[in-house]
Amino acid sequence: MKSIHRLVLIALIGIFFITDLGDVHGQQGFISLDCGMPHNESSYTEESTGLTFSSDADFIRSGKSGRTKNDEPVFGRASIKPHKYLRYFPEGTRNCYNLTVMQSTHYLIRAVFVYGNYDDLRQRARFDLYIGPNFWITVNFEDIFSSMSSSEEIIHVPKSNSLDICLVKTGTTTPFISSLKLRPLRDDTYTTTTGSLKLLQRLYFSNTESIVRYPHDVHDRIWDSSFWEDDMTEINTTTPVDTKNAFDIPQAIISKSSIPKGADKSWSRDWVMLNPDDVQVYLHFAEIQVLKPSDTREFDILWNGATISYEYSPPKFIADTVSIRTSTKCVDSCNVELVRSRSSSLPPSISAMEVFGVLQLPQSETDENDVIAFKNIQATYRLQKTSWQGDPCVPRYYMWTGLNCSNAVPSVPPRIISIDFSSYGLNGTIASDIQYLSQLQKLLDEKQNLCFDSSCETEAGDGNGKKKLLVPILATAASVGLITAVLLLIILFYRTKRSSKAYDAYFSDPRSSIVTNKRSFTYEEVTVMTNNFEKTLGEGGFGAVYHGNLNGNEQVAVKVLSQSSAQGYKQFKAENFQAKLGDFGLSRSFPVGSETHVSTNIAGSPGYLDPEYYRTNWLTEKSDVFSFGVVLLEIITSQPVIDHTREKSHIGEWVGFRLTNGDIKNIVDPSLIGDYDSSSVWKALELAMSCVSPSSSGRPNMSQVANELKECLLSENSRKEGKHDVDSKSSVELSTSFGTKHTPDAR
């Protein structure tokens, strides 16, 4: 609930912040930062545009202010006030602006770099620019023929209410920035299926040399003129053109068009592609001439020689945009051509064109709740580290010192899994926001000056002779995945004992969505489920276990923590009534009550504990995976975990021994009487054996386990419904391969 409140608060702050900065002269939502401008100077209005600029000091915690020299030729860019100052970064590798934005809103983001010989070194800098954890572009002034000023622009949709723009040092020169601007756009413009749009060109075709921007362009897009007198003729109008389409093309641009010279000539534009990006092009048209009844203007639009639109006719005095979205890359150069159709009496015309490269952003940002929680922890302890800027987890080589994160799949948001406070000299209680890091597995403090309640603040000594404070913490997702996987597997192998009608009704009921939604339960729901804890099944190490019914047709066992229990903290697990689960997921945890230490007692039944623990004295998520693999084998075989009368006493060794013969009939629960899909059973056995691999590195994670079980369920469903061809699409989406290292060869 706290995290939800935080998100709402951030959204409200963002609305106030954006409105406060931008609601001047129609600049709704604009963010305009004069980088390096002293903090004590007031906001100002830039004369040539009317844009309101403010200091960047509140949006970045590093860098120094510099001032450009008037004698440096930068093609006039240094002459306007926002480029008098700059911020440069002589220290640190990654320095980031952190901006409050509106999630899922399209933003035009423009970063301007004007060197102006601020350091009297006349150095030609080279550095990288990142948007969030993803590379944007290299800012390069090393070419002796290049200008000493540059502007980079991207259209980007933030996935959260916080956006980082980072300058990354890649060599010996110093990164710098002059101004940073964000402009909100309509969400139905400049859309992409993936990635963001990096501006390559924005041109209007008129025989003029003036730049068009704000206030003529309400979104502060900057339009450069482009015209070839030998090939083009300009036409224009004083009649207002309706520009109220989604793109809001300025009247100063749409009221002019270019047509090719020569009645039979086509209009063509080429440009060189230096990077192999996918390209997206927007062509802006309007019919701005009053045509005679006998006149028509129709033309085909060609992209790299291929016709993408036939007999296009611009609407009369109404702005219209044709977009070219392509997944193909231009070879060396790109070409747009407008070819007059046979029935047209007039040549093709065009007013403006925008060209973007599609910038793929493969790396997801760290989970937003994790970021909020850790920043609250940072504020609690007043930790101010210059290197703690940008995304905490990614890119991995810029990960914040003291953190470790999971980031196996770039498309999945990284999660914080461990924190090391050993080098920060912290004292007092552990910050309460630790509880919101739901994937945290380890908290380390070598000096043991942190504890679980305020008593340690008066008892703390010099720490001599103390052991490290080491807290492995069960990740919530692993627990939920465990319960989910248990339910899936039991449904798979015991479905034959239940009526298909009852099963289908249960699985299709949106209220009973443990499998599909991985839901947890409130105390009130548990009370209803157990009929106010009416029937006690027994007592465990954590407290009483009660009988319950889920939606009236699924028996469950509900374990409720006793207040006097010393084995765990306040939580319960819903387990299927027929499953037997050890307490392997809670082997070490936070203390309860007045305890100030962390329990090191191992809870659970013999045979379930990770064998690596005996060598390393260390429990991880993969320890839970091992224990869960034992549960899978127990369910599949209906055999005890330990049986000294078998060839191999431990169930994992026994199944491995039996699999060498390639016959699963002597392994699978005989009460099923062969009524199962052999391929799905093989897959489940392979999965279980990979889970109980002696080495943790050979085991899957719990998410992979859940996905594999879902595929087993698909196979079983297809068999039950008389189908032998599982939907290949679903199979591909759900399957995860673990290789053949720990799987049986015989079939």
Side-chain angles (χ1 to χ4, degrees):
M1 182 63 72
K2 272 190 172 182
S3 61
I4 295 175
H5 289 165
R6 289 192 194 96
L7 291 175
V8 173
L9 180 61
I10 287 174
L12 292 175
I13 291 173
I15 293 171
F16 169 78
F17 165 76
I18 292 174
T19 303
D20 182 61
L21 272 185
D23 197 12
V24 181
H25 303 303
Q27 300 167 39
Q28 181 67 41
F30 281 22
I31 299 175
S32 303
L33 301 182
D34 186 337
C35 302
M37 174 182 165
H39 186 270
N40 57 0
E41 290 192 13
S42 301
S43 300
Y44 65 88
T45 299
E46 200 280 312
E47 293 181 359
S48 65
T49 61
L51 290 168
T52 301
F53 283 83
S54 303
S55 171
D56 67 334
D58 291 332
F59 305 92
I60 193 164
R61 297 189 292 108
S62 58
K64 298 181 179 180
S65 177
R67 192 178 180 98
T68 58
K69 307 298 190 300
N70 291 331
D71 60 349
E72 180 67 21
V74 287
F75 302 101
R77 287 187 184 268
S79 62
I80 64 174
K81 189 171 182 179
H83 303 154
K84 290 294 184 183
Y85 292 105
L86 56 76
R87 184 172 294 273
Y88 64 102
F89 304 93
E91 299 174 352
T93 302
R94 181 174 67 162
N95 294 272
C96 300
Y97 286 87
N98 182 256
L99 305 165
T100 300
V101 293
M102 298 305 295
Q103 182 179 1
S104 301
T105 296
H106 285 62
Y107 278 92
L108 182 156
I109 303 172
R110 184 182 302 122
V112 178
F113 311 89
V114 178
Y115 173 56
N117 197 29
Y118 73 93
D119 54 2
D120 292 320
L121 297 177
R122 297 189 179 276
Q123 70 166 341
R124 291 188 168 272
R126 179 188 176 102
F127 52 90
D128 287 344
L129 199 60
Y130 275 69
I131 185 160
N134 290 285
F135 173 79
W136 174 356
I137 198 168
T138 295
V139 180
N140 184 11
F141 296 109
E142 289 183 343
D143 187 347
I144 61 173
F145 298 106
S146 67
S147 166
M148 293 302 285
S149 62
S150 175
S151 177
E152 303 297 342
E153 183 180 310
I154 193 171
I155 295 177
H156 177 69
V157 181
K159 295 182 178 179
S160 70
N161 294 311
S162 180
L163 177 65
D164 294 316
I165 306 293
C166 303
L167 291 85
V168 176
K169 186 175 184 178
T170 57
T172 59
T173 55
T174 302
F176 66 90
I177 185 171
S178 299
S179 64
L180 184 60
K181 303 150 190 171
L182 278 73
R183 315 292 189 234
L185 302 170
R186 285 180 50 161
D187 293 339
D188 55 352
T189 61
Y190 306 109
T191 58
T192 62
T193 54
T194 60
S196 297
L197 296 179
K198 181 173 60 177
L199 180 67
L200 302 179
Q201 298 181 21
R202 181 178 288 119
L203 306 172
Y204 73 102
F205 304 110
S206 171
N207 191 11
T208 178
E209 296 181 358
S210 62
I211 292 175
V212 176
R213 63 170 304 179
Y214 190 86
H216 302 289
D217 188 310
V218 295
H219 301 295
D220 193 27
R221 293 165 295 191
I222 298 178
W223 302 82
D224 292 309
S225 65
S226 179
F227 198 79
W228 304 277
E229 292 186 355
D230 293 339
D231 300 320
M232 294 181 179
T233 299
E234 179 183 312
I235 58 176
N236 55 66
T237 184
T238 58
T239 303
V241 178
D242 184 351
T243 61
K244 296 305 179 183
N245 73 345
F247 289 87
D248 290 322
I249 304 301
Q251 195 71 222
I253 290 175
I254 203 67
S255 62
K256 303 178 180 68
S257 295
S258 68
I259 60 175
K261 279 188 175 179
D264 297 325
K265 287 188 176 180
S266 62
W267 185 99
S268 181
R269 172 75 180 182
D270 299 89
W271 63 92
V272 176
M273 286 294 296
L274 298 178
N275 297 309
D277 296 324
D278 290 343
V279 176
Q280 215 161 288
V281 181
Y282 295 87
L283 307 176
H284 304 291
F285 303 97
E287 179 55 75
I288 59 173
Q289 289 185 317
V290 178
L291 305 184
K292 299 176 182 179
S294 59
D295 285 339
T296 58
R297 192 189 307 276
E298 290 181 350
F299 49 90
D300 297 337
I301 302 175
L302 281 69
W303 167 252
N304 291 334
T307 303
I308 62 166
S309 179
Y310 291 90
E311 298 181 345
Y312 173 78
S313 181
K316 297 176 181 179
F317 294 97
I318 299 175
D320 186 43
T321 298
V322 174
S323 60
I324 302 175
R325 297 183 178 91
T326 173
S327 59
T328 60
K329 296 173 172 62
C330 299
V331 180
D332 297 329
S333 65
C334 298
N335 173 260
V336 170
E337 188 175 9
L338 310 179
V339 179
R340 177 178 172 177
S341 65
R342 293 182 179 180
S343 61
S344 178
S345 62
L346 298 174
S349 67
I350 183 171
S351 295
M353 177 176 72
E354 296 174 277
V355 181
F356 298 90
V358 179
L359 178 66
Q360 299 298 337
L361 307 175
Q363 179 60 63
S364 295
E365 300 172 358
T366 298
D367 181 84
E368 185 177 14
N369 291 326
D370 279 14
V371 175
I372 292 171
F374 190 78
K375 286 188 175 180
N376 287 336
I377 295 168
Q378 182 183 359
T380 299
Y381 296 133
R382 296 185 177 91
L383 294 174
Q384 296 294 334
K385 289 187 65 65
T386 303
S387 62
W388 282 5
Q389 299 187 54
D391 193 288
C393 294
V394 284
R396 292 194 66 86
Y397 33 90
Y398 302 131
M399 185 184 298
W400 291 8
T401 306
L403 296 186
N404 193 19
C405 305
S406 63
N407 186 34
V409 181
S411 60
V412 177
R415 304 299 301 271
I416 296 174
I417 59 174
S418 73
I419 304 175
D420 186 352
F421 284 140
S422 300
S423 61
Y424 300 122
L426 303 180
N427 293 282
T429 60
I430 292 179
S432 62
D433 284 277
I434 287 283
Q435 65 184 303
Y436 299 116
L437 296 174
S438 61
Q439 297 293 305
L440 190 65
Q441 300 173 9
K442 182 172 63 175
L443 175 63
L444 183 64
D445 175 28
E446 290 184 345
K447 297 182 179 180
Q448 200 175 348
N449 291 330
L450 293 174
C451 62
F452 293 98
D453 61 28
S454 58
S455 63
C456 66
E457 296 182 11
T458 57
E459 298 174 0
D462 59 6
N464 292 333
K466 293 182 179 180
K467 296 181 179 179
K468 296 179 181 179
L469 171 64
L470 182 59
V471 187
I473 303 170
L474 175 68
T476 300
S479 303
V480 175
L482 175 65
I483 298 169
T484 301
V486 170
L487 291 172
L488 278 169
L489 198 63
I490 291 173
I491 288 171
L492 172 64
F493 288 105
Y494 288 91
R495 184 184 177 196
T496 58
K497 299 181 180 180
R498 304 171 58 93
S499 70
S500 60
K501 182 177 181 180
Y503 172 78
D504 292 338
Y506 165 73
F507 211 78
S508 62
D509 187 348
R511 295 172 297 176
S512 57
S513 53
I514 297 180
V515 173
T516 56
N517 291 337
K518 301 182 180 179
R519 63 168 292 196
S520 57
F521 299 92
T522 66
Y523 182 81
E524 290 76 12
E525 289 174 312
V526 174
T527 302
V528 174
M529 191 185 305
T530 60
N531 196 21
N532 201 23
F533 305 100
E534 178 182 42
K535 182 178 179 180
T536 304
L537 298 177
E539 291 282 337
F542 291 93
V545 181
Y546 297 93
H547 175 268
N549 278 284
L550 185 62
N551 298 322
N553 59 13
E554 182 72 16
Q555 296 184 87
V556 295
V558 179
K559 182 180 290 186
V560 179
L561 180 71
S562 168
Q563 293 294 326
S564 61
S565 170
Q567 288 193 24
Y569 59 95
K570 295 180 181 179
Q571 63 173 276
F572 75 90
K573 284 189 175 182
E575 303 167 6
N576 184 284
F577 185 58
Q578 295 174 323
K580 294 186 291 184
L581 294 178
D583 296 331
F584 47 86
L586 302 175
S587 297
R588 288 186 175 182
S589 187
F590 285 122
V592 296
S594 60
E595 295 179 353
T596 59
H597 66 282
V598 177
S599 171
T600 57
N601 297 325
I602 300 302
S605 306
Y608 292 94
L609 189 61
D610 182 359
E612 281 197 349
Y613 171 77
Y614 299 105
R615 299 194 304 271
T616 65
N617 199 38
W618 186 260
L619 290 172
T620 67
E621 180 192 350
K622 292 299 182 72
S623 302
D624 288 347
V625 172
F626 177 89
S627 303
F628 180 63
V630 175
V631 173
L632 294 187
L633 292 175
E634 191 177 8
I635 294 173
I636 295 170
T637 64
S638 192
Q639 291 284 328
V641 177
I642 301 294
D643 184 353
H644 294 289
T645 64
R646 293 187 303 228
E647 303 98 324
K648 301 289 183 180
S649 59
H650 189 272
I651 191 170
E653 297 175 341
W654 177 76
V655 170
F657 175 77
R658 287 296 183 98
L659 282 175
T660 57
N661 297 323
D663 184 6
I664 64 173
K665 291 182 179 179
N666 294 321
I667 298 175
V668 177
D669 182 357
S671 66
L672 295 178
I673 320 176
D675 186 16
Y676 50 77
D677 179 61
S678 60
S679 63
S680 64
V681 173
W682 269 106
K683 194 171 189 66
L685 280 171
E686 292 172 355
L687 175 63
M689 292 303 292
S690 68
C691 289
V692 298
S693 169
S695 172
S696 60
S697 62
R699 302 171 197 158
N701 59 41
M702 198 56 73
S703 296
Q704 292 171 316
V705 172
N707 284 339
E708 287 292 306
L709 290 176
K710 288 177 184 176
E711 185 157 345
C712 291
L713 187 59
L714 283 173
S715 298
E716 183 67 11
N717 284 342
S718 295
R719 184 183 73 88
K720 288 293 182 183
E721 295 168 5
K723 297 178 182 177
H724 301 286
D725 52 342
V726 180
D727 186 325
S728 61
K729 181 178 180 181
S730 298
S731 178
V732 169
E733 290 176 347
L734 294 175
S735 65
T736 303
S737 175
F738 304 117
T740 59
K741 184 177 180 181
H742 304 289
T743 59
D745 294 326
R747 289 285 181 182

